[in-house]
Amino acid sequence: MLAVQQLESGYGESVILRDVSLRVGPGQVVCLLGRNGVGKTTLMKSVMGVLKARRGSISYKGENVTKRTPGYRAKSGIGYVPQGREIFAQLTVYENLLLGLEASKSKTTVIPAEAVANFPVLPAMYARRGGDLSGGQQQQLAFARALASMPEVLLLDEPCEGIQPSIVEDIRDVIRSIKAEGKTEILLAEQSLEFVRSVGDYFYILEKGSVAWKGGLDELNEEIVLKYLTV
Amino acid sequence: MDVTILQMFNGLSVSSILLLIALGLAITFGLMNVINMAHGELIMIGAYATYVTQTLFKDLFPEAMFGWYFVAAIPVSFMAAFLLGLLLEFSLIRFLYGRPLDSLLATWGVALVLQQLARTVFGAPNVAVTSPEWLNGGLTVMDGLVFPYKRIFIIGLVAATLFVMYLYIYRSHAGRRMRAVMQNRDMAACLGVSTRRVDALTFAIGSGIAGIAGCALTLMGPIGPSLGTYYIVDAFMVVVLGGVGKLIGTVIGAVGIGMTNTLFEYWTTASLGKVLVFLCIVAFLQWKPKGLVAMRTRSLDS
């Protein structure tokens, strides 16, 4: 259960998000839509704690985490796949995955099989440096790294950006299987309408840093798309 | 033949000392990007810690035990500098991350304070540390060619320190966290790594290694409050030439400087040799400003 209330956030002097409220229920896949520059990534960063909230609150499982560090949020069960993947380029693929275990509750040093099960290319590349991987492979690694700690909420920031179609399909399958299991809730920021329609339960559309529209899959009709999403 | 071997050995010996004083800096400056002008004073602290250990052994233990003080002095020097580094990081350095100019001035101030502290506690004149008996003398390789045990010991100590550092940085959990934080601080934090703890520990370890260098320097001659100032330039030279961020660069930098220094001094004179080495370094850095082994990471680029 992730809830954001009246959040205001931004960089330095400039305010990006104003009065944003949203909630992600158990087992839900909630999608964040909007044109470029409306504040999707800013919202993701604020939820993770990379950006400090100016006003409003972020609560997770009933606990107010607004003032908590990203590390605390990670350890309490929030997994993050950032935009641009943010792989540790000088570390090996295996080391990148081991770092994903830092937030896990058990003191294990073994990468859970579930984390890499959906990305069969990764185990074959364990010894290679993260920076040597292609964009798509890095995206899969970032995904597996986030799954390694068995998070209860997953923040996915444009996981399909600049990725070849077959890997987009893989990622779609992973999100669907996570959803089918029902243990993990997902907040997904994405540009591709087709993609979010195929996995999402509930939708928020941001415009100029505020929630302009929200609703279920059947309400997300052509008129809404034309109004808020067509460039 | 004799002369060549001797020069090679001397070069290796100079390299090992350069490497030892630069290894700690390779961590605090190379990995953390903190321009730590107090690095020389951490070396000085290590040297005085050895002096204190020696005095304690003289007073407290029987004569026969005295030879072993040096074995105890290595971890003692490490711990003394480690703890001071921890204190320094907590009270000053952590406010100066990403502000190289400020950290340069602040740590220089710390260096002056530490020098004065040493003067107050131990007095301004140099103090002598008696080398243990088993390090006196040398290994006779052939007639007229003797390798002093002290020099061999320092080479061994550097190799051991380097090996342990390698294991720590590249093979341990803590080392992995450290590399992750130095490469991408925000992402490491998002994965649950405690960046504060990693910063403090990393700086303290770099300081501790400076302490070991100080311990080794007591074998080379008397020590004084301004010991560190003689070595700080060399230490920075090695790290900058080697290229920041990678251990292997520091090793190559130290061996490169040590070897060329010895060769030039043999061909010319001691002072002219030093000038030639500095000229070579300046020329080299004009050609390759990032040093011998350049590594590009997000944290260094930004």
Side-chain angles (χ1 to χ4, degrees):
Chain A
M1 247 302 292
L2 182 74
V4 175
Q5 260 150 18
Q6 278 139 19
L7 180 75
E8 183 179 311
S9 183
Y11 307 86
E13 292 289 298
S14 63
V15 177
I16 307 291
L17 295 177
R18 280 187 189 84
D19 195 22
V20 172
S21 300
L22 63 81
R23 37 181 293 141
V24 186
Q28 262 189 329
V29 177
V30 171
C31 302
L32 214 51
L33 296 161
R35 301 185 178 102
N36 280 329
V38 294
K40 299 191 291 295
T41 296
T42 308
L43 179 55
M44 287 296 194
K45 283 184 175 171
S46 305
V47 172
M48 196 60 220
V50 184
L51 286 176
K52 284 198 175 68
R54 302 265 182 82
R55 230 173 270 147
S57 73
I58 297 155
S59 68
Y60 171 60
K61 285 198 288 193
E63 186 194 354
N64 187 344
V65 294
T66 320
K67 298 264 181 268
R68 296 292 190 170
T69 61
Y72 180 89
R73 298 181 203 200
K75 282 183 176 144
S76 55
I78 304 182
Y80 180 40
V81 181
Q83 189 178 33
R85 323 185 236 284
E86 306 280 336
I87 290 300
F88 299 103
Q90 304 286 334
L91 269 59
T92 64
V93 170
Y94 187 62
E95 286 173 325
N96 268 284
L97 287 172
L98 285 176
L99 281 161
L101 292 175
E102 292 288 332
S104 67
K105 289 186 183 70
S106 57
K107 289 261 174 218
T108 176
T109 52
V110 182
I111 294 155
E114 298 96 302
V116 285
N118 290 298
F119 310 104
V121 292
L122 290 178
M125 299 188 297
Y126 271 177
R128 287 173 63 181
R129 291 196 322 165
D132 296 344
L133 266 55
S134 74
Q137 290 165 341
Q138 284 190 6
Q139 187 65 64
Q140 299 182 59
L141 176 55
F143 218 118
R145 183 176 65 181
L147 289 176
S149 63
M150 307 278 198
E152 290 160 61
V153 179
L154 206 49
L155 307 178
L156 305 176
D157 197 352
E158 307 221 1
C160 302
E161 188 190 32
I163 304 292
Q164 69 184 55
S166 72
I167 295 177
V168 171
E169 286 314 307
D170 288 347
I171 289 171
R172 196 199 306 264
D173 291 344
V174 176
I175 294 176
R176 276 180 177 154
S177 72
I178 290 171
K179 192 175 165 181
E181 254 179 70
K183 282 187 286 190
T184 312
E185 54 199 65
I186 294 176
L187 180 60
L188 168 72
E190 183 54 61
Q191 297 270 4
S192 160
L193 197 61
E194 180 271 331
F195 188 87
V196 295
R197 269 195 169 133
S198 69
V199 295
D201 295 314
Y202 201 78
F203 303 85
Y204 288 86
I205 297 178
L206 289 183
E207 200 174 55
K208 290 181 189 157
S210 303
V211 176
W213 181 88
K214 59 184 175 181
L217 181 59
D218 45 345
E219 297 164 81
L220 188 63
N221 54 31
E222 277 312 305
E223 191 190 336
I224 302 293
V225 171
L226 210 63
K227 188 169 174 198
Y228 296 111
L229 300 174
T230 317
V231 182
Chain B
M1 183 62 195
D2 286 16
V3 177
T4 319
I5 296 176
L6 187 65
Q7 290 305 325
M8 289 289 283
F9 179 76
N10 281 345
L12 202 60
S13 175
V14 173
S15 309
S16 67
I17 293 164
L18 283 174
L19 185 54
L20 199 52
I21 58 174
L23 273 181
L25 200 67
I27 292 183
T28 51
F29 175 55
L31 281 176
M32 305 182 76
N33 269 8
V34 175
I35 300 182
N36 182 15
M37 293 302 280
H39 181 74
E41 277 55 45
L42 290 161
I43 294 177
M44 183 264 291
I45 295 291
Y48 274 110
T50 307
Y51 171 71
V52 170
T53 315
Q54 175 216 244
T55 316
L56 284 178
F57 261 69
K58 223 178 244 168
D59 293 350
L60 299 178
F61 294 104
E63 193 91 6
M65 290 280 288
F66 181 72
W68 292 106
Y69 90 84
F70 203 77
V71 178
I74 296 172
V76 169
S77 317
F78 178 85
M79 278 317 290
F82 180 92
L83 292 175
L84 186 68
L86 211 56
L87 180 71
L88 205 57
E89 203 275 347
F90 181 77
S91 57
L92 183 71
I93 306 291
R94 69 176 165 138
F95 304 111
L96 299 172
Y97 288 124
R99 292 160 62 186
L101 206 58
D102 298 342
S103 71
L104 186 147
L105 287 173
T107 52
W108 191 37
V110 170
L112 296 178
V113 170
L114 288 176
Q115 280 179 37
Q116 196 53 46
L117 189 72
R119 249 175 234 125
T120 311
V121 177
F122 297 101
N126 286 358
V127 294
V129 175
T130 323
S131 307
E133 196 54 43
W134 49 273
L135 280 176
N136 290 332
L139 181 73
T140 312
V141 183
M142 54 177 87
D143 262 351
L145 191 62
V146 179
F147 293 170
Y149 285 136
K150 283 177 187 171
R151 300 266 177 168
I152 297 176
F153 179 80
I154 291 178
I155 294 172
L157 182 65
V158 173
T161 310
L162 201 59
F163 182 67
V164 173
M165 272 175 76
Y166 171 81
L167 286 185
Y168 179 81
I169 297 177
Y170 293 103
R171 289 283 176 270
S172 76
H173 296 278
R176 185 170 59 237
R177 282 193 280 270
M178 179 173 125
R179 281 179 295 146
V181 170
M182 299 315 151
Q183 277 176 45
N184 190 338
R185 182 168 295 271
D186 278 348
M187 193 59 225
C190 287
L191 290 173
V193 178
S194 165
T195 53
R196 269 302 303 138
R197 207 154 69 199
V198 169
D199 284 338
L201 195 63
T202 308
F203 190 82
I205 287 174
S207 306
I209 290 166
I212 294 183
C215 177
L217 287 179
T218 61
L219 294 175
M220 312 298 298
I223 53 168
S226 51
L227 176 80
T229 48
Y230 303 131
Y231 291 101
I232 185 78
V233 174
D234 284 339
F236 269 102
M237 199 75 82
V238 168
V239 177
V240 171
L241 178 71
V244 291
K246 281 220 144 178
L247 217 48
I248 186 73
T250 310
V251 176
I252 299 173
V255 174
I257 294 180
M259 284 294 181
T260 34
N261 197 21
T262 313
L263 281 182
F264 282 146
E265 284 187 10
Y266 176 63
W267 286 331
T268 61
T269 62
S271 44
L272 191 58
K274 196 92 186 171
V275 171
L276 287 175
V277 170
F278 281 153
L279 277 178
C280 288
I281 293 171
V282 170
F284 181 82
L285 289 177
Q286 291 293 321
W287 175 49
K288 279 199 163 191
K290 289 207 164 213
L292 284 159
V293 182
M295 181 181 78
R296 237 165 277 178
T297 71
R298 273 163 201 282
S299 56
L300 290 175
D301 282 343
S302 59

